[in-house]
Coordinates of all heavy atoms in Angstrom, one line a residue:
Chain A
N53 N 1.2 9.6 3.8 CA 1.8 8.5 4.6 C 1.0 7.7 5.4 O 1.2 6.4 5.5 CB 2.8 9.0 5.5 CG 4.3 9.1 4.8 OD1 4.4 8.5 3.8 ND2 5.1 9.8 5.3
H54 N 0.1 8.2 6.1 CA -0.8 7.4 7.0 C -2.3 7.6 6.5 O -2.9 6.5 6.4 CB -0.5 7.9 8.4 CG -1.2 7.2 9.6 ND1 -1.8 6.0 9.4 CD2 -1.3 7.6 10.8 CE1 -2.3 5.7 10.6 NE2 -2.2 6.5 11.4
Q55 N -2.5 8.8 6.3 CA -3.8 9.0 5.6 C -3.4 9.4 4.2 O -2.4 10.2 4.1 CB -4.6 10.2 6.2 CG -5.8 10.6 5.5 CD -6.7 11.5 6.2 OE1 -7.7 11.2 6.9 NE2 -6.4 12.8 6.3
I56 N -4.1 8.9 3.3 CA -3.6 9.0 1.8 C -4.7 9.8 1.0 O -5.8 9.2 1.0 CB -3.5 7.7 1.1 CG1 -2.2 6.9 1.8 CG2 -3.0 7.9 -0.3 CD1 -2.1 5.4 1.5
T58 N -6.3 10.3 -1.7 CA -6.3 9.6 -3.2 C -6.4 10.5 -4.4 O -5.7 10.3 -5.3 CB -7.3 8.4 -3.1 OG1 -8.5 8.8 -2.7 CG2 -6.8 7.3 -2.3
D59 N -7.4 11.4 -4.2 CA -7.6 12.3 -5.3 C -6.2 13.1 -5.7 O -5.9 13.3 -6.8 CB -8.7 13.3 -5.1 CG -10.0 12.6 -5.2 OD1 -10.1 11.5 -5.8 OD2 -11.0 13.2 -4.8
Q96 N -1.8 2.6 -12.6 CA -2.9 2.5 -13.3 C -2.9 3.3 -14.6 O -3.5 2.9 -15.5 CB -4.2 2.9 -12.5 CG -4.2 4.3 -12.0 CD -5.4 4.6 -11.2 OE1 -6.5 4.1 -11.3 NE2 -5.4 5.7 -10.4
H99 N -0.9 1.2 -16.9 CA -1.5 -0.1 -17.2 C -0.4 -1.3 -17.0 O -0.3 -2.1 -17.8 CB -2.1 -0.2 -18.5 CG -3.4 0.7 -18.6 ND1 -4.6 0.5 -17.9 CD2 -3.4 1.9 -19.2 CE1 -5.4 1.6 -18.1 NE2 -4.7 2.4 -19.0
V100 N 0.4 -1.2 -15.9 CA 1.4 -2.1 -15.5 C 1.2 -2.5 -14.1 O 0.6 -1.8 -13.3 CB 2.8 -1.6 -15.7 CG1 3.2 -1.2 -17.3 CG2 3.2 -0.5 -14.7
P101 N 1.7 -3.7 -13.7 CA 1.6 -4.1 -12.3 C 2.5 -3.5 -11.4 O 3.5 -3.0 -11.8 CB 1.9 -5.7 -12.4 CG 2.4 -6.1 -13.7 CD 2.3 -4.8 -14.6
V102 N 2.2 -3.5 -10.1 CA 3.2 -2.9 -9.1 C 3.7 -4.2 -8.4 O 3.0 -5.1 -8.1 CB 2.3 -2.1 -8.1 CG1 3.1 -1.9 -6.8 CG2 1.9 -0.8 -8.7
F104 N 5.7 -4.8 -4.7 CA 6.4 -4.2 -3.6 C 7.3 -5.0 -2.9 O 7.0 -6.3 -2.6 CB 5.4 -3.5 -2.7 CG 4.5 -4.5 -1.9 CD1 4.7 -4.9 -0.7 CD2 3.1 -4.7 -2.5 CE1 3.9 -5.8 0.0 CE2 2.3 -5.5 -1.7 CZ 2.7 -6.1 -0.5
S136 N 10.2 -11.7 -4.7 CA 10.1 -12.9 -5.3 C 10.7 -12.8 -6.7 O 10.4 -11.9 -7.5 CB 8.6 -13.4 -5.4 OG 8.4 -14.3 -4.6
Chain B
N33 N -1.2 -9.6 -3.8 CA -0.4 -9.4 -2.6 C 1.0 -9.0 -2.6 O 1.4 -8.3 -1.7 CB -0.3 -10.8 -2.0 CG -1.6 -11.0 -1.0 OD1 -2.1 -10.0 -0.7 ND2 -1.8 -12.2 -0.6
H34 N 1.7 -9.3 -3.6 CA 3.0 -9.0 -3.7 C 3.3 -8.3 -5.0 O 3.8 -7.2 -5.0 CB 3.9 -10.2 -3.5 CG 5.3 -10.2 -3.5 ND1 5.9 -8.9 -3.3 CD2 6.4 -11.0 -3.6 CE1 7.3 -9.1 -3.3 NE2 7.6 -10.4 -3.5
Q35 N 2.8 -8.9 -6.1 CA 2.7 -8.3 -7.3 C 1.1 -7.9 -7.4 O 0.3 -8.7 -7.1 CB 3.0 -9.1 -8.5 CG 2.7 -8.5 -9.8 CD 3.5 -9.3 -11.0 OE1 4.5 -8.9 -11.5 NE2 2.8 -10.3 -11.4
I36 N 0.8 -6.6 -7.8 CA -0.5 -6.3 -7.8 C -0.8 -5.7 -9.2 O -0.3 -5.1 -9.8 CB -0.7 -4.9 -6.9 CG1 -0.2 -5.2 -5.5 CG2 -2.2 -4.4 -6.9 CD1 0.0 -4.0 -4.5
T38 N -2.7 -3.9 -11.2 CA -3.5 -2.8 -10.9 C -4.9 -2.7 -11.8 O -5.9 -2.2 -11.3 CB -2.7 -1.5 -11.1 OG1 -1.9 -1.5 -12.3 CG2 -1.7 -1.3 -9.9
D39 N -4.7 -3.0 -13.0 CA -6.0 -2.9 -13.9 C -7.0 -3.8 -13.3 O -8.2 -3.5 -13.3 CB -5.6 -3.3 -15.4 CG -4.8 -2.3 -16.1 OD1 -4.8 -1.2 -15.6 OD2 -4.2 -2.6 -17.2
Q76 N -10.4 5.9 -4.9 CA -10.4 6.9 -5.9 C -11.7 6.9 -6.6 O -12.2 8.0 -7.1 CB -9.4 6.7 -6.9 CG -9.6 5.3 -7.7 CD -8.5 5.1 -8.8 OE1 -7.8 6.0 -9.3 NE2 -8.4 3.8 -9.2
H79 N -13.7 9.0 -4.1 CA -13.1 10.3 -3.8 C -13.0 10.5 -2.3 O -13.4 11.7 -1.9 CB -14.0 11.4 -4.5 CG -13.9 11.3 -6.1 ND1 -12.8 11.5 -6.8 CD2 -14.9 10.9 -7.0 CE1 -13.0 11.2 -8.0 NE2 -14.3 10.8 -8.2
V80 N -12.6 9.6 -1.6 CA -12.3 9.8 -0.2 C -10.9 9.3 0.1 O -10.3 8.6 -0.7 CB -13.4 8.9 0.7 CG1 -14.8 9.4 0.3 CG2 -13.1 7.5 0.4
P81 N -10.4 9.7 1.3 CA -9.0 9.4 1.6 C -9.0 7.9 2.2 O -10.0 7.4 2.6 CB -8.6 10.4 2.7 CG -9.9 11.0 3.1 CD -10.9 10.8 2.2
V82 N -7.8 7.3 2.1 CA -7.5 6.1 2.7 C -6.8 6.3 4.0 O -5.7 7.2 4.1 CB -6.6 5.2 1.8 CG1 -6.1 3.9 2.6 CG2 -7.5 4.7 0.6
F84 N -4.5 4.0 6.6 CA -4.1 2.6 6.8 C -3.6 2.4 8.3 O -2.8 3.2 8.7 CB -3.1 1.9 5.9 CG -1.8 2.5 5.8 CD1 -0.7 2.1 6.5 CD2 -1.5 3.6 4.8 CE1 0.6 2.6 6.4 CE2 -0.2 4.1 4.7 CZ 0.8 3.7 5.5
S116 N -3.7 7.0 14.0 CA -3.6 8.4 14.7 C -5.0 9.0 14.9 O -5.9 8.8 14.0 CB -3.0 9.3 13.6 OG -1.7 9.8 14.0

Side-chain angles (χ1 to χ4, degrees):
Chain A
N53 268 343
H54 182 13
Q55 176 168 262
I56 301 165
T58 45
D59 284 346
Q96 63 179 340
H99 298 287
V100 300
V102 166
F104 64 88
S136 251
Chain B
N33 267 343
H34 182 14
Q35 176 168 262
I36 301 165
T38 45
D39 284 347
Q76 63 179 340
H79 299 286
V80 300
V82 167
F84 65 88
S116 251

